[in-house]
Amino acid sequence: MRPAIFWASDYNFKKVLIKMTHSTSTSVACANIAFIKYWGNRDNALRLPVNGSISMNLDGLFARTTVAFNSSKSDSLLINDYAVTGKGLDRVSSILDLVRGMANIQEKAEVKSENNFPAGAGIASSAAAFGALALAASAAAGLNLSEAELSRLARRGSGSAARSIPAGFVEWQMGKDEEDSYAFSIAQADHWALMDCIAVVSSAHKKTGSTEGHAIASTSPLQNARVEDTLRRLEICRRAILDKDFESFANIIELDSDMMHAVMMTSNPPLMYWQNATVGIFHAVREWRGRGLPVAYTVDAGANVHVICPSDYAKEVEEKLRELPGVINVLVAGAGGGARVIG
Ligand code: DP6
């Protein structure tokens, strides 16, 4: 039998090797737009949602994050070249702690993250950021996590980030427990050439973030009805995507967005994310669809409107949106791939 000391030295050698080969890693992850929305948790700390959700990754709108484990005394975070401390850093450190636990390492980390899309554009930057962080941190720690494991890890940082790990059209199953609550692709990005024309009507930072919103969702008398009806909406949306049935898709995503905002508006305290221009776009989109243009709207926790259409109509939709009152800018993105390591 080999003496125990050899085992110990083999083990230490592996640890050193892992640190030397994997201590820094850079990853990218796209933002995503939810077609069936996540709103409310059954466990806020674990970010276990009260309902499943479906989204599309947004090609070209991504976060790029580098994680370097090193000998510093504490974790540090730079977002778009600004040093972030306090709650923002704590949220990142809690993901690093999970990774350190899995990899059995103690090193602190330097995290640098950049978004290539404008802040306050109504695009959930936390989804892209925590998707990229989960992948970069686990790769830098020498872990080789499966897609489901990465999605679960990203979920702990921001629920919607669970959906930025897999590619294309993605479903996040609410799951029976923490192990079971992760996202997977229901179709690849090239399955259906849909475009998201994001009409920016306000670049102001929203007063109430999603995390606080999830925490009060259950105070709305409408939340139970929304949650109870979710399996039906998920099934219609999934089918519409698989069949590329735009009419059915348009009706269900608008209903789902309106239901979530009805819950927000009737929570205690009430949350009103829409501006006048937001509602103006709803009316325009419905009118255009009535006249045969395949378009549909959906809105996350903000005032900006995601107008979805088949790619052949994107130019026309973008031009029409730019003419509407209150529209400051329009960003256009197709379906994107999954999170990936780039260095
Ligand atoms: C309205 O994932 O941003 O965009 O987990 O607290 O970070 P946290 O919340 P977040 O919530 C997203 C809410 C939404 C709908 C959705 O993307 O499904």
Side-chain angles (χ1 to χ4, degrees):
M1 210 177 101
R2 278 174 89 179
I5 190 157
F6 281 109
W7 288 107
S9 106
D10 278 355
Y11 178 67
N12 287 336
F13 175 69
K14 270 184 207 137
K15 270 176 75 176
V16 170
L17 198 67
I18 284 169
K19 271 184 227 153
M20 281 165 56
T21 48
H22 298 288
S23 60
T24 299
S25 182
T26 301
S27 299
V28 289
C30 295
N32 68 72
I33 177 64
F35 296 144
I36 300 296
K37 313 282 189 189
Y38 147 54
W39 197 246
N41 287 314
R42 54 194 207 275
D43 184 321
N44 282 319
L46 291 175
R47 288 192 157 82
L48 291 177
V50 289
N51 63 276
S53 52
I54 291 179
S55 60
M56 179 178 92
N57 283 349
L58 297 176
D59 190 32
L61 302 178
F62 57 81
R64 179 188 324 160
T65 301
T66 300
V67 174
F69 286 103
N70 56 31
S71 53
S72 7
K73 289 210 178 67
S74 54
D75 293 327
S76 63
L77 173 63
L78 273 187
I79 300 182
N80 297 331
D81 289 331
Y82 285 98
V84 177
T85 54
K87 281 188 183 157
L89 175 61
D90 291 348
R91 200 164 160 183
V92 164
S93 283
S94 70
I95 297 303
L96 295 170
D97 286 343
L98 291 172
V99 170
R100 283 187 276 255
M102 283 188 265
N104 195 20
I105 59 172
Q106 269 82 47
E107 282 77 7
K108 300 295 180 187
E110 193 180 281
V111 178
K112 282 188 193 158
S113 191
E114 281 161 9
N115 294 331
N116 74 338
F117 48 88
I123 305 164
S125 53
S126 63
F130 282 98
L133 175 70
L135 183 52
S138 55
L143 296 168
N144 188 13
L145 301 185
S146 68
E147 183 180 278
E149 287 169 324
L150 281 168
S151 174
R152 274 205 297 268
L153 178 62
R155 188 201 81 220
R156 300 286 292 271
S158 176
S160 53
R163 299 188 311 243
S164 282
I165 298 291
F169 297 85
V170 174
E171 178 160 355
W172 170 18
Q173 62 184 17
M174 61 180 281
K176 291 185 287 295
D177 50 33
E178 123 72 16
E179 281 277 292
D180 206 26
S181 189
Y182 60 87
F184 49 86
S185 294
I186 54 174
Q188 293 304 306
D190 61 0
H191 163 72
W192 195 10
L194 284 186
M195 292 293 223
D196 181 1
C197 303
I198 307 160
V200 179
V201 301
S202 161
S203 54
H205 201 75
K206 58 192 174 202
K207 281 198 219 88
T208 311
S210 305
T211 306
E212 294 143 278
H214 291 298
I216 59 165
S218 63
T219 62
S220 164
L222 304 183
Q223 172 73 336
N224 277 347
R226 189 191 76 89
V227 171
E228 274 166 25
D229 181 60
T230 308
L231 287 181
R232 184 188 73 88
R233 295 193 311 284
L234 283 169
E235 169 60 22
I236 293 173
C237 185
R238 202 186 296 122
R239 227 348 68 235
I241 290 170
L242 295 177
D243 295 347
K244 301 181 212 168
D245 173 353
F246 194 84
E247 197 186 325
S248 160
F249 173 79
N251 290 329
I252 203 67
I253 73 166
E254 289 187 359
L255 174 70
D256 189 85
S257 176
D258 290 349
M259 285 173 83
M260 179 184 72
H261 283 272
V263 166
M264 291 163 159
M265 288 174 209
T266 51
S267 295
N268 184 13
L271 301 174
M272 168 61 87
Y273 286 109
W274 297 348
Q275 309 260 330
N276 291 350
T278 312
V279 180
I281 298 170
F282 295 165
H283 287 295
V285 166
R286 289 251 167 104
E287 193 198 311
W288 300 338
R289 192 154 84 249
R291 287 206 248 126
L293 190 66
V295 273
Y297 66 77
T298 184
V299 182
D300 279 345
N304 304 323
V305 186
H306 295 250
V307 179
I308 317 293
C309 64
S311 59
D312 288 352
Y313 299 88
K315 194 85 219 120
E316 182 180 349
V317 170
E318 181 189 344
E319 277 162 15
K320 281 177 170 302
L321 285 171
R322 285 190 190 279
E323 279 163 20
L324 293 179
V327 173
I328 304 166
N329 193 10
V330 180
L331 302 169
V332 181
R340 61 183 202 283
V341 174
I342 57 164

